[in-house]
Amino acid sequence: MQIASKCFHQPNRLPIRSAIIASSYNAILKQQPQTTTTFQYKYNLHRNFTTTEDDEVSKRRRRRLSVAIVGTGPSGMYTAKYLRSSILPKKQKQQQQQQQQPSTKQNDSEVEEKLSKQQQEDEYDLNIDMIEKLPTPYGLVRSGVAPDHPEVKSVEHDFDSVFTSSCTKMQFMGNVQVGIDVSLNELRDLYDVVVLAYGCESDNKLGIDGEERLKGILSAREFVAWYNGHPNFVHIGEELSKLLSSSNQPKQVVVIGQGNVALDCARILAKGKQGLIDTDIASHALDVIGDGIEKTIVLGRRGHVQGAFTIKELRELTKLKKEGHNVAFNVRQDELDMGATPSTMKELNLPGARPKVRIDKLLRDVAAATDTTSGADTTTKEVDLRFLLQPITFLPDELDPSRVGSLVCQRTELKGEPRNQ
């Protein structure tokens, strides 16, 4: 089941055990099965005050802003953080002015009366309810960041401070699903402001034959959520375990897409249990991944300069062998040369192209090293980064027609103006 360079003619057929589609996905709010969670709103409804109240009291009550933020991922948490920071300076400024006022017996009463009146006119209060479908907050920070990137997850400390601050009335409501436990119209009646920050719940499809009917084809969203312990994707492990253990042949996976998430998936698959046991990866993923995947291919339709990955993620792949993970990282020189069209070379000379220039140099160094060590490498695992290949068909496995067995690709050619190829 190993892939040799001579296999890649037009079209190219890649024998695989599984495919991970790491392309972007659409934001679609899906209805989920009915849960037993009930939603209770415990605050008094601020806009339902009586007309018999004192004018000043009524005025202050109207200035108490109630906000519901649906979703507690990064977008929801940053919304709460900056909404709070736009309100609190007013109150802090009032306190500073009060402390700076002269303190003499003759004008104390006058100053207090003036400040009291100003406070009644300008004071804001803020109530924020964070509504989350899961029992835990922070969304993709918890279930989307690679487990071997703890420095990225440190943003949770910033989010923690939003909840622990004593300056804002703020509470977390977990296990509450909008559309099931409470409707959007109900939220609009209960709050002054409703912010929908629930993110993406669906995937883009490639739209090629075999994608819907064959087992072993996952979106990157599903795969990443599974190895990060998302409770809605635990079932993925059983399917992967069956696919990866169904044959004694070397395991091979194709990752379609060339962004940072695609490289994350390839790195996790290559490292295996020993390389990830000290991270916060979900324990159920370690046994399924085992010693790592023998062959992981990351492919994209365009050239290396057009790839969406950053040099940091690329460097991590180049260091896998040096760090003791027994993984070779391979790049083909001929594919780099095919991608070096006149428009691509112009791209490398445009303003702001320095990151792409560095990527080009790094990949060419890797390609030169790949050619030098070809046939003499003793590593047991490989990650191949392939360019200018477009998937056109998933083919079933010969022994089990219900699961994916290979991927047929065709060679592509870059055309167009710089940064628009």
Side-chain angles (χ1 to χ4, degrees):
M1 297 290 283
Q2 291 199 355
I3 301 176
S5 58
K6 64 181 181 181
C7 295
F8 290 95
H9 300 299
Q10 185 177 353
N12 302 303
R13 176 171 172 172
L14 311 182
I16 55 177
R17 290 287 169 198
S18 182
I20 299 172
I21 302 172
S23 57
S24 59
Y25 36 83
N26 295 325
I28 302 176
L29 184 61
K30 299 193 298 183
Q31 295 293 329
Q32 300 293 336
Q34 181 70 39
T35 66
T36 59
T37 307
T38 59
F39 184 89
Q40 294 181 347
Y41 185 70
K42 298 180 180 180
Y43 291 141
N44 293 324
L45 303 185
H46 305 309
R47 55 176 73 168
N48 290 344
F49 49 83
T50 65
T51 56
T52 59
E53 288 181 317
D54 180 82
D55 288 343
E56 289 298 324
V57 175
S58 176
K59 185 176 182 179
R60 292 187 65 185
R61 289 185 65 134
R62 284 198 301 270
R63 300 180 78 84
R64 184 183 293 122
L65 185 66
S66 61
V67 180
I69 300 178
V70 181
T72 58
S75 59
M77 294 306 302
Y78 280 121
T79 298
K81 176 182 177 180
Y82 290 109
L83 180 60
R84 188 188 67 173
S85 66
S86 67
I87 298 295
L88 294 182
K90 294 179 177 291
K91 301 178 73 173
Q92 294 170 351
K93 184 178 180 180
Q94 292 169 7
Q95 295 172 358
Q96 292 173 358
Q97 289 176 344
Q98 186 173 3
Q99 294 172 356
Q100 294 171 0
Q101 289 296 330
S103 179
T104 63
K105 293 182 180 179
Q106 297 166 344
N107 61 7
D108 270 353
S109 60
E110 182 181 346
V111 169
E112 288 178 5
E113 182 180 351
K114 182 178 180 181
L115 287 174
S116 177
K117 184 177 181 180
Q118 180 181 354
Q119 187 176 13
Q120 289 178 3
E121 292 176 351
D122 296 336
E123 183 177 7
Y124 280 84
D125 202 358
L126 182 62
N127 297 334
I128 301 178
D129 288 346
M130 306 294 295
I131 302 173
E132 172 60 51
K133 175 173 72 172
L134 296 176
T136 55
Y138 305 156
L140 287 178
V141 176
R142 185 183 294 268
S143 62
V145 176
D148 54 352
H149 284 172
E151 71 284 355
V152 180
K153 295 192 176 187
S154 63
V155 73
E156 287 187 2
H157 301 308
D158 189 25
F159 295 161
D160 288 340
S161 66
V162 178
F163 280 112
T164 57
S165 173
S166 60
C167 300
T168 306
K169 294 179 181 178
M170 184 168 175
Q171 68 174 344
F172 172 78
M173 296 180 174
N175 283 323
V176 176
Q177 188 169 356
V178 176
I180 300 294
D181 304 307
V182 62
S183 70
L184 180 58
N185 286 335
E186 287 176 313
L187 290 180
R188 295 174 68 180
D189 290 337
L190 292 170
Y191 295 89
D192 298 312
V193 178
V194 178
V195 180
L196 301 181
Y198 51 79
C200 301
E201 293 197 358
S202 184
D203 309 296
N204 273 339
K205 300 294 184 180
L206 293 176
I208 64 177
D209 186 46
E211 182 179 8
E212 299 291 343
R213 59 185 174 84
L214 295 176
K215 299 177 182 177
I217 302 172
L218 304 173
S219 69
R221 183 180 65 92
E222 294 173 309
F223 181 65
V224 172
W226 166 73
Y227 68 61
N228 275 318
H230 194 296
N232 292 350
F233 295 92
V234 176
H235 65 281
I236 298 295
E238 183 178 355
E239 179 182 352
L240 279 176
S241 181
K242 291 179 179 179
L243 289 167
L244 296 177
S245 62
S246 60
S247 172
N248 293 326
Q249 296 294 326
K251 297 183 286 290
Q252 299 185 112
V253 174
V254 168
V255 181
I256 302 172
Q258 290 187 331
N260 284 340
V261 172
L263 300 195
D264 285 345
C265 292
R267 189 179 66 255
I268 295 300
L269 289 169
K271 278 187 173 183
K273 183 175 182 178
Q274 291 304 313
L276 298 168
I277 198 167
D278 292 331
T279 70
D280 66 349
I281 190 172
S283 57
H284 61 242
L286 291 175
D287 292 334
V288 175
I289 295 175
D291 294 330
I293 304 301
E294 285 85 347
K295 185 84 169 182
T296 304
I297 302 172
V298 183
L299 62 85
R301 296 174 299 167
R302 299 195 294 168
H304 64 288
V305 175
Q306 291 75 38
F309 44 69
T310 60
I311 196 166
K312 176 180 180 295
E313 275 65 26
L314 275 179
R315 282 201 178 114
E316 288 186 87
L317 291 177
T318 66
K319 295 176 181 178
L320 288 177
K321 182 179 179 180
K322 186 182 296 184
E323 292 174 350
H325 300 295
N326 202 24
V327 180
F329 179 49
N330 303 319
V331 178
R332 288 179 43 164
Q333 183 69 51
D334 61 330
E335 291 183 341
L336 299 183
D337 293 339
M338 283 187 285
T341 63
S343 291
T344 296
M345 301 311 295
K346 290 180 181 178
E347 284 185 36
L348 295 176
N349 290 300
L350 292 175
R354 185 170 180 269
K356 294 295 185 181
V357 172
R358 296 170 65 197
I359 287 174
D360 176 65
K361 182 180 185 308
L362 176 62
L363 289 177
R364 290 190 179 279
D365 291 343
V366 172
T370 300
D371 292 340
T372 302
T373 59
S374 180
D377 201 335
T378 59
T379 55
T380 59
K381 294 177 286 187
E382 293 180 280
V383 175
D384 290 356
L385 189 59
R386 303 297 308 274
F387 302 101
L388 302 171
L389 290 173
Q390 180 178 10
I392 55 176
T393 306
F394 287 108
L395 296 179
D397 182 70
E398 294 179 357
L399 299 178
D400 183 0
S402 68
R403 70 171 182 83
V404 65
S406 59
L407 172 65
V408 179
C409 299
Q410 65 181 3
R411 178 67 72 189
T412 60
E413 181 181 359
L414 291 177
K415 292 183 178 181
E417 298 299 317
R419 292 181 175 172
N420 193 32
Q421 295 187 88

